[in-house]
Amino acid sequence: MEFQSGIFIVFFAAVLVIYHNLPAKAKPTALLAANAVFYAVGGVQWLPLLAASILVSWIIALALDKLQNQKARLALLWCGVILFVGLLFYFKYFSALLRGMFQYNLLILAPLGVSFFSFTIMGYLIDVYWKVQPAQKNLVRYAAFISMFAQISSGPIERGKNMLPQLAEPKAYSYENFACGCSRMLWGFFKKFVLANMMGNMVAVVYGGIEQFTGPFLLLASLLYSYQLYLDFGGYSDIAIGTMQALGFDVMENFRRPFAARSYTQLWDRWHISLTSWFRDYVFTPLTFTIRGVEGKAGKFLGWFSIFIIFPLSGIWHGSGWGYLIWGALNGLFMVVGKMTAKKRRKWAKKNPLYRNKFLKAFIQCSCVYLMFTACIVFFRAENIRQAIQIYQGFFTGWAETLLSPAVIVAGLKAMGIGRVAILLVGGGSVAVELVERAAEQRGQTVGVWLHHLKAPVRWAAYYAQLLALAFYGVLGQSSFIYRQF
């Protein structure tokens, strides 16, 4: 079931009404039923796999809670982790492995949200093993947590210690939560189905015919793709978080104005927070504990390696292509180099005359981060390594001819589908996104809360502007959610 479909709106309204009119004890069961319906619409054939994953992981967690022998607990944890890593490997990489090793094409369709629910389960099992939280004895609550319909296909990747207590004591209906949640959902619809989809069409034209475009347009398309990716996934996260808020749940944020970051470390503190924090908590932290006793150059190398390795793993999580791995490795390299040079760069910054102006300093730093992110994202967007290399080579072509001829610029933009309306809508909409989210961040609020608490005339003007943009320019009849494939 797609968020942008009419059936989802009807489904969500029905769930909202039924859920908030049930007694607290019945709410987890109703939510589990809603999750099953949502998942079945997306692929009923995968419902038994999801149910089996939930049941097996629930039993493993109960056993981890009861066992006293530490070696037995560790062995059982590894069995659980290997099982769900194996599940991911089979559905996401096995067909690619067969194709690469034996030239055998086997199409294996991945279940909806397999990456998201597998990581949620593994995080939960590790938390139970570490005794961060007790195993959930109530199967209905646990199943509702793992299969949460708003999050299973797009995240955020939640933690049991946050969600399970909320399922044990569901909140009563609150107009404040309902209004702020719906406001957040509308904002997500606007970001994803108006701005991201329009940008996506522009990018697709260029990446679908790179031989026809010169450097300026290849660079423009790549820069647009970076922001499209944010609007796409950030918009879907807004819809998911808003849906959960309307139901009375507090879930973690997934994005916090990532392109306002002034360093690469800040960028990844703000981008896909639920995934990066998952790798930090369950990969980076155990690695740092392991290497604490190592001193000297070896210790430093292992420390940098523990930071670096998170990003190739993130690339592998996204897909089986080499482009994803290279994308992750480049991000990891930028992160490590950034941390290694942080002290020296701070010293140089004090001597940089351009940095005396705060606005100029922020602009330069944010621009550098954005360009570095875009340099990596080409591998993420390109169909294969060969196309990515062609794009990089193309960056250096046609600058003089293009910049010295306004007619060539106009023709290139028209070929990309960028006219006056698109410039006004995409440009103005992107500026609005940054200004609104900045204003909400400065007040320590989410966008949904900030919009809801504006004065009535301004608030309703903002709502109607988003609705009109969706009505006239939204692409609601098809799914182009980038992260759905993951």
Side-chain angles (χ1 to χ4, degrees):
M1 190 183 300
E2 305 287 354
F3 281 169
Q4 77 275 19
S5 64
I7 191 173
F8 173 76
I9 303 300
V10 174
F11 169 80
F12 170 64
V15 170
L16 200 63
V17 171
I18 294 169
Y19 181 81
H20 282 307
N21 281 283
L22 288 173
K25 288 184 178 180
K27 285 185 176 181
T29 304
L31 193 57
L32 178 58
N35 296 343
V37 171
F38 180 91
Y39 201 84
V41 171
V44 68
Q45 72 273 24
W46 299 119
L47 201 53
L49 177 68
L50 176 62
S53 298
I54 290 169
L55 183 60
V56 169
S57 60
W58 179 67
I59 293 170
I60 291 173
L62 290 176
L64 285 171
D65 224 17
K66 289 182 179 179
L67 283 172
Q68 299 299 318
N69 186 290
Q70 192 60 23
K71 289 184 178 179
R73 293 181 78 244
L74 182 59
L76 184 59
L77 173 67
W78 272 110
C79 286
V81 169
I82 290 170
L83 174 64
F84 288 100
V85 169
L87 186 71
L88 278 174
F89 177 84
Y90 175 75
F91 283 110
K92 299 188 72 170
Y93 316 116
F94 185 64
S95 59
L97 184 66
L98 286 179
R99 187 165 55 250
M101 293 181 66
F102 306 108
Q103 301 299 310
Y104 179 72
N105 286 325
L106 175 66
L107 179 63
I108 300 176
L109 297 176
L112 175 66
V114 63
S115 297
F116 291 100
F117 74 71
S118 295
F119 268 45
T120 301
I121 287 172
M122 286 190 285
Y124 167 76
L125 292 178
I126 295 169
D127 281 346
V128 172
Y129 171 78
W130 283 342
K131 298 186 177 180
V132 172
Q133 68 171 81
Q136 173 58 244
K137 293 180 173 59
N138 187 302
L139 179 57
V140 171
R141 290 178 199 159
Y142 176 69
F145 156 56
I146 298 298
S147 62
M148 195 68 71
F149 74 88
Q151 298 171 267
I152 196 165
S153 63
S154 60
I157 303 169
E158 261 295 354
R159 312 297 175 85
K161 58 188 176 183
N162 179 38
M163 293 301 297
L164 290 170
Q166 295 186 69
L167 285 162
E169 297 181 8
K171 291 180 182 177
Y173 171 76
S174 159
Y175 175 73
E176 177 76 7
N177 281 336
F178 167 75
C180 292
C182 290
S183 178
R184 181 77 177 267
M185 290 176 70
L186 178 59
W187 184 248
F189 275 107
F190 170 68
K191 284 167 63 177
K192 163 64 186 111
F193 296 109
V194 177
L195 300 181
N197 280 14
M198 289 188 75
M199 286 186 183
N201 291 335
M202 299 168 188
V203 173
V205 170
V206 177
Y207 273 70
I210 55 176
E211 299 84 2
Q212 302 169 28
F213 293 91
T214 55
F217 301 105
L218 290 171
L219 179 59
L220 176 60
S222 300
L223 292 170
L224 283 173
Y225 182 69
S226 291
Y227 205 68
Q228 179 209 345
L229 189 63
Y230 164 61
L231 293 171
D232 188 283
F233 196 19
Y236 246 81
S237 294
D238 286 328
I239 298 169
I241 294 168
T243 300
M244 295 299 292
Q245 187 174 7
L247 289 168
F249 290 91
D250 295 320
V251 299
M252 70 189 302
E253 291 294 324
N254 221 11
F255 290 87
R256 289 197 309 266
R257 299 184 63 231
F259 295 127
R262 299 190 185 186
S263 69
Y264 222 66
T265 300
Q266 278 187 13
L267 173 73
W268 282 101
D269 285 340
R270 294 165 172 260
W271 181 278
H272 203 344
I273 299 166
S274 65
L275 180 64
T276 52
S277 64
W278 195 98
F279 279 114
R280 179 197 66 212
D281 293 344
Y282 302 120
V283 178
F284 173 73
T285 300
L287 278 175
T288 54
F289 274 114
T290 303
I291 64 175
R292 269 187 180 177
V294 182
E295 297 180 355
K297 291 183 179 180
K300 280 187 178 181
F301 172 79
L302 289 173
W304 298 131
F305 177 77
S306 65
I307 296 171
F308 169 82
I309 195 61
I310 290 172
F311 293 92
L313 289 175
S314 177
I316 293 170
W317 179 87
H318 283 89
S320 58
W322 282 103
Y324 295 117
L325 183 63
I326 295 172
W327 167 81
L330 284 174
N331 276 292
L333 181 64
F334 286 162
M335 179 70 81
V336 170
V337 171
K339 287 186 175 292
M340 290 174 66
T341 61
K343 290 183 179 179
K344 289 184 178 179
R345 285 186 291 108
R346 281 195 290 268
K347 289 182 179 178
W348 295 339
K350 292 178 181 179
K351 300 177 182 179
N352 189 339
L354 296 175
Y355 281 10
R356 292 172 187 170
N357 182 293
K358 289 184 179 180
F359 174 81
L360 189 58
K361 178 182 179 181
F363 178 78
I364 292 171
Q365 290 177 329
C366 291
S367 297
C368 288
V369 170
Y370 193 92
L371 288 170
M372 291 167 68
F373 184 84
T374 300
C376 302
I377 212 69
V378 170
F379 284 102
F380 195 95
R381 177 59 177 81
E383 293 180 3
N384 48 53
I385 303 299
R386 182 180 178 182
Q387 189 189 59
I389 293 171
Q390 286 179 317
I391 291 167
Y392 282 118
Q393 291 173 338
F395 282 159
F396 300 98
T397 64
W399 283 90
E401 300 92 320
T402 302
L403 297 180
L404 293 175
S405 175
V408 173
I409 295 174
V410 172
L413 292 176
K414 283 185 177 180
M416 290 179 66
I418 303 177
R420 292 178 182 177
V421 173
I423 290 173
L424 288 172
L425 190 60
V426 172
S430 299
V431 170
V433 166
E434 291 301 316
L435 291 177
V436 168
E437 295 187 349
R438 180 175 180 270
E441 184 181 60
Q442 287 179 333
R443 292 203 174 189
Q445 299 173 332
T446 65
V447 171
V449 173
W450 185 83
L451 285 170
H452 176 62
H453 288 100
L454 290 172
K455 292 183 179 179
V458 180
R459 179 172 72 247
W460 284 105
Y463 290 162
Y464 279 120
Q466 293 173 73
L467 288 168
L468 286 171
L470 280 164
F472 286 100
Y473 301 104
V475 184
L476 299 175
Q478 64 187 43
S479 173
S480 58
F481 176 40
I482 296 169
Y483 269 74
R484 182 176 173 81
Q485 63 187 300
F486 308 132

